[in-house]
Amino acid sequence: MHVRVRLDGSNPQGWHVALLRRIGEIPGLAAVSVDDAPASGAWPHTADLLFRLEALVHGLPRFGTEPVPGAAFEPWRQPSARPDLVLDLCGDVPSGPAIWHIAYDDRVGTDALLARLLADAVPRLTLVENGAIRAAGRLGADRPGIVLASFEDALARTITLIAASLRDRIAGRAAAGGAGDALVGHRVVLTVPRLGVRAGRMLAGALIQRLYRLCYYAPHWRCGWRRLAGPDLIDLGRHPEAGWSVLPDDGRRFYADPFPISVRGSTHLFVEDFPHATGKAIISAVRFGPDGPEGAPVPVLEEAHHLSYPFVFERDGGVWMVPESSAAGTVDLYRATRFPGGWVKEATLLSGVVASDATLVEHAGRWWIFATVRDAGLGAPSGAGSFHDALHLWSSPDYRGPYTPHPANPVLVDPSLARPAGRIVPRGGRLIRPIQDCAAGYGRALVLARIDRLDPAGFAQTVIGRVEPGPAWPGNRLHTLNAGGGIECIDGAARAPRFTIRGRTRRQG
């Protein structure tokens, strides 16, 4: 199979080169070529000014949006070869069989993507062939409101979906859309009105953020817990009337990602323990008695890299943990030798992957890992694209592995429906999956979904509930739900001052 990529040669960017390289790595693809003749696009030169300003103010790298010379495409120039498929990124090739267009909210071209991000939207990407949608997904952003960061994330995820769709076509798998999903088919002519005003607001906003961080630890997460003597949050579908008790902290650290577990009749709560002074989290644990936590959480696991989301479970007479270690590019399995401490690494379940909040579940005789994954598509050292929007699955006959990636990865692209938020639990003969809604920012609400299909050939889920911060849980974030050992736990964000009032202790270091 020969794929030709049609791109705008008057505005060549780093993501075009990354896309060509990624396509060339797909097994079964015979050739990749490029048509980079200048297109009649409407890319505004003021957009590059905005990107340069944001990169300067926020200290952001540029991978996908970085201009590249036309000579960068020499390895892919094969004008005489006849392609089997044309991927038109410009929107000026008429639609038809074997012609793929990329649309953002039904408009073709990255200028349309920029317009949607400037409108603070969460764009929907569709890959369309002859009026039928082959793949679709909503594009997440790790730093909403910063257009450059959001644009880079969206470009990386565009590469993800294109590569996955080509892989499916070569393997003969069905398209992701139906003939009834039609493209609203013409280019949008983008203008960027009052960019100077936006730049001024951006700079003012950056200064406010700097001042805010001088006065507050931001974000400062906190864990809530309650005794579970009746329906849990999944059955309630809302916060309990009795509210939540907060796990105390000393103000110089926060606790997040609570995972309670009962072992030999004793309940322990494992948390991410994040000291603000170091900026690198460890895993700590605290025992719960009849009256709540017995003291402060104490460290039980530390590595050279950041650790969080301590997914703990019992199996085969042992206690196991899979903490998030995305900074190391692995998903690792630990075993407790002196519970609640003495953790030793038993296996690396996944490697070479930037996976967030790996969550294990046993279903139909197989073990499954759920996690959202960054993409290596733009050449960033720690991957590219959002941490929140691309759900990947792996399965194995044993929780210790080896794990096989799902052939349809990513099985879902949507920042409001992808990232795990705690243990997957059985309920009424089905599995219920807590999810972080990150469409408006990281961990803004908790979504509950019923898993309708989970097998090596497919995955499907249906949203059955949503719980948000509010009077029963003040703040603007809610992103983990777990129960065990007779308690139920959530977490969310708050503010913690660096300086206390009336001369009390101030932060050291």
Side-chain angles (χ1 to χ4, degrees):
M1 183 180 184
H2 173 195
V3 176
R4 176 162 293 161
V5 179
R6 171 83 174 96
L7 58 89
D8 184 0
S10 66
N11 185 36
Q13 296 181 334
W15 82 280
H16 295 135
V17 176
L19 172 63
L20 291 164
R21 288 173 177 164
R22 171 63 66 81
I23 292 174
E25 296 170 354
I26 298 174
L29 194 63
V32 181
S33 63
V34 65
D35 174 4
D36 60 337
S40 56
W43 184 258
H45 70 277
T46 45
D48 294 314
L49 171 61
L50 175 61
F51 289 165
R52 288 196 298 271
L53 282 171
E54 288 191 323
L56 176 65
V57 171
H58 298 285
L60 297 175
R62 293 180 63 179
F63 296 104
T65 61
E66 188 69 25
V68 297
F73 301 111
E74 285 298 334
W76 295 284
R77 289 202 172 98
Q78 302 175 33
S80 60
R82 181 179 178 85
D84 302 296
L85 174 70
V86 174
L87 173 62
D88 178 23
L89 303 180
C90 300
D92 52 5
V93 176
S95 63
I99 305 295
W100 284 9
H101 293 100
I102 297 293
Y104 301 96
D105 286 342
D106 297 333
R107 301 285 184 169
V108 179
T110 52
D111 47 4
L113 170 61
L114 178 60
R116 299 304 292 147
L117 294 174
L118 285 169
D120 297 322
V122 180
R124 180 174 183 262
L125 179 150
T126 48
L127 193 157
V128 183
E129 179 180 6
N130 201 26
I133 294 178
R134 294 197 59 87
R138 296 179 71 218
L139 305 178
D142 289 348
R143 302 179 71 176
I146 301 177
V147 179
L148 172 59
S150 300
F151 197 76
E152 293 270 359
D153 285 347
L155 293 178
R157 197 58 69 220
T158 297
I159 293 175
T160 302
L161 281 170
I162 291 172
S165 299
L166 283 171
R167 182 194 63 207
D168 289 347
R169 186 185 184 97
I170 292 171
R173 286 188 285 271
D181 297 313
L183 170 67
V184 180
H186 63 278
R187 288 186 63 83
V188 60
V189 178
L190 174 72
T191 59
V192 187
R194 299 199 307 166
L195 183 58
V197 174
R198 179 178 178 85
R201 290 174 179 170
M202 178 197 72
L203 291 168
L207 291 172
I208 291 172
Q209 288 183 6
R210 296 288 179 90
L211 290 171
Y212 179 85
R213 290 178 180 274
L214 284 174
C215 299
Y216 291 95
Y217 292 122
H220 187 90
W221 293 82
R222 68 199 193 284
C223 294
W225 66 274
R226 69 179 183 115
R227 289 291 174 188
L228 197 55
D232 61 10
L233 191 143
I234 292 175
D235 285 339
L236 288 172
R238 55 174 172 78
H239 290 286
E241 293 182 2
W244 304 89
S245 298
V246 175
L247 181 68
D249 62 60
D250 61 8
R252 295 180 175 84
R253 68 187 63 243
F254 68 65
Y255 301 126
D257 295 341
F259 277 84
I261 188 172
S262 177
V263 175
R264 295 184 292 275
S266 178
T267 298
H268 286 79
L269 178 64
F270 289 81
V271 295
E272 172 193 347
D273 180 343
F274 185 97
H276 289 290
T278 66
K280 180 179 75 71
I282 62 176
I283 304 302
S284 292
V286 59
R287 177 180 171 135
F288 266 65
D291 299 322
E294 298 179 342
V298 297
V300 295
L301 177 61
E302 182 173 3
E303 295 283 12
H305 49 268
H306 179 93
L307 296 174
S308 60
Y309 200 80
F311 184 93
V312 289
F313 64 101
E314 280 192 283
R315 188 71 176 185
D316 297 336
V319 186
W320 307 83
M321 182 195 299
V322 180
E324 184 194 300
S325 53
S326 61
T330 59
V331 174
D332 298 316
L333 177 69
Y334 292 78
R335 177 176 55 87
T337 59
R338 300 182 307 279
F339 185 85
W343 294 94
V344 296
K345 187 186 296 186
E346 286 284 313
T348 293
L349 306 181
L350 304 173
S351 60
V353 59
V354 181
S356 297
D357 298 343
T359 300
L360 278 64
V361 67
E362 188 177 14
H363 172 69
R366 293 187 69 81
W367 282 82
W368 293 85
I369 296 177
F370 287 63
T372 50
V373 174
R374 297 197 84 198
D375 199 302
L378 297 185
S382 60
S386 172
F387 283 92
H388 317 310
D389 62 357
L391 177 63
H392 287 235
L393 306 178
W394 300 260
S395 68
S396 170
D398 190 276
Y399 61 93
R400 290 161 291 201
Y403 281 86
T404 301
H406 198 287
N409 280 341
V411 298
L412 171 69
V413 177
D414 190 327
S416 64
L417 297 173
R419 185 163 175 162
R423 295 188 182 103
I424 298 170
V425 298
R427 195 60 46 91
R430 294 292 186 93
L431 294 175
I432 306 300
R433 187 171 89 90
I435 304 166
Q436 299 181 43
D437 183 349
C438 300
Y442 174 53
R444 291 304 174 92
L446 186 71
V447 172
L448 302 173
R450 180 187 68 237
I451 295 178
D452 300 317
R453 180 179 183 183
L454 179 59
D455 58 55
F459 169 80
Q461 65 182 19
T462 299
V463 173
I464 61 171
R466 177 183 173 87
V467 183
E468 300 179 350
W473 185 246
N476 62 356
R477 306 193 192 201
L478 171 63
H479 94 326
T480 307
L481 171 66
N482 285 296
I487 62 174
E488 184 175 49
C489 301
I490 61 173
D491 69 354
R495 294 183 301 174
R498 294 179 185 267
F499 309 98
T500 56
I501 300 173
R502 299 186 186 277
R504 286 182 287 173
T505 305
R506 59 176 289 174
R507 175 180 178 240
Q508 301 295 318

